[in-house]
Amino acid sequence: MPGTEPDDPTRRLVRCGMCGRPLTGTASRRTGLGPACDAKLHPPALDIRTRRREADQDPLPGI
């Protein structure tokens, strides 16, 4: 049957919405994006602790 994967004839071929590669994982097939393309669209959040630094401040006058 056209449009099905050769290893499992009951599953239809789903392609990535960005690059067009065939999707094999359940989560990828559900979202319509492969892992690499999903990482491009949704990068991991930055850890706020790595961006913090001590501010250089002058002492308050009179204290």
Side-chain angles (χ1 to χ4, degrees), residues 5-16:
E5 295 174 326
D7 58 338
D8 187 3
T10 61
R11 291 175 60 166
R12 67 180 183 90
L13 181 64
V14 177
R15 295 195 176 270
C16 177

